[in-house]
Amino acid sequence: MTPSHREEQRRALAIVAHPDDIEFAAGGTVAGWVTRGWEVSLCVVTDGQRGTDGALSADRRAEQTAAAKALGVDRPRFLGYMDAEVSPTLELRAALADLLRLLRPHRVLTHSPRYAWAFPTTSHPDHRAVGTATLDAVYPGASIPSSVGSPAGLPWQVPEVWLFGDPEANHFEDVTDHLARKLAALRCHDSQLSARAGDEAQLRSRMAGAARAAGLPDGRLAERFQILRYV
Ligand SMILES: [Zn+2]
């Protein structure tokens, strides 16, 4: 089996709180994985109903579906929780554990459950709740099926979790070649654009800073992660 063939067998699952979270934090990384043959799935816990005044669930789901397509991701799954009201409940952990056992991803991408002092505007309570529920779904949830949720389904131990928005970072992904797709995906979120004038410049500046922190040459852009390894 060639390395490229092996990589074609790889699956990743991103679990986020709101429509557009994955594009902001890891859109370039996801686009890069898809380019390298990974099958990437997306689960969005809330409909982002409170992102801007008057944003409707149906609109935000449609925008997220278009944005996912721009990144090369299959139709997203929506859990339908209320925006700004997510807690890391046993119910949410069980739903995520069931999804992990169904999809059997080799990598999970999600929010850091830690408050990041350096990035206070990304430390939304829904982000921390989804990060906590996801980590608990990875272990012991999906790994020990009797621990939570439906006892049906084989156990699955996710080998790696990539956290974004963490106060620390142990990995910087060079996404320079995938910037166009990240920006194209972000622009699919029409209902949020008026609230976000200047976002693209700010994003580029943040990604350039991450690239500098990683020691990449000038002109490169990176997304930052704290990677947890389970096996
Ligand atoms: Zn969010």
Side-chain angles (χ1 to χ4, degrees), residues 17-21 111 124 126-127:
H18 310 114
D20 82 14
D21 284 343
H111 305 275
H124 191 288
D126 286 353
H127 295 175

Side-chain angles (χ1 to χ4, degrees), residues 13-192:
L13 171 63
I15 300 174
V16 297
H18 310 114
D20 82 14
D21 284 343
I22 195 63
E23 291 82 1
F24 265 104
T29 298
V30 167
W33 291 354
V34 169
T35 300
R36 297 204 293 275
W38 283 63
E39 182 185 328
V40 183
S41 302
L42 173 63
C43 173
V44 185
V45 174
T46 80
D47 290 340
Q49 304 93 321
R50 292 174 172 156
T52 57
D53 288 343
L56 300 174
S57 291
D59 293 340
R60 297 219 65 193
R61 286 189 182 200
E63 290 168 2
Q64 179 63 90
T65 301
K69 193 173 175 189
L71 293 178
V73 172
D74 287 345
R75 200 159 53 85
R77 288 170 167 77
F78 297 97
L79 299 190
Y81 280 65
M82 176 53 76
D83 191 2
E85 296 185 12
V86 184
S87 297
T89 60
L90 210 51
E91 177 197 49
L92 178 56
R93 189 197 308 176
L96 296 175
D98 284 348
L99 187 58
L100 292 170
R101 288 203 293 271
L102 177 71
L103 298 178
R104 304 170 78 76
H106 302 96
R107 280 181 190 157
V108 164
L109 263 171
T110 194
H111 305 275
S112 170
R114 298 205 289 170
Y115 196 97
W117 304 111
F119 312 107
T121 56
T122 69
S123 290
H124 191 288
D126 286 353
H127 295 175
R128 299 197 300 279
V130 169
T132 295
T134 299
L135 289 181
D136 293 345
V138 166
Y139 185 87
S143 180
I144 305 174
S146 59
S147 69
V148 71
S150 149
L154 295 172
W156 178 252
Q157 179 59 64
V158 176
E160 283 182 6
V161 175
W162 291 41
L163 300 174
F164 45 78
D166 195 80
E168 298 170 46
N170 60 8
H171 178 76
F172 297 86
E173 186 83 359
D174 185 336
V175 297
T176 317
D177 298 341
H178 307 292
L179 177 67
R181 288 176 77 184
K182 176 181 174 110
L183 295 180
L186 276 167
R187 290 178 193 134
C188 293
H189 295 278
D190 291 336
S191 69
Q192 309 301 297

Side-chain angles (χ1 to χ4, degrees), residues 3-11 36-39:
S4 63
H5 184 208
R6 266 204 305 276
E7 197 156 16
E8 280 171 12
Q9 310 301 311
R10 308 301 271 178
R11 297 178 300 277
R36 297 204 293 275
W38 283 63
E39 182 185 328

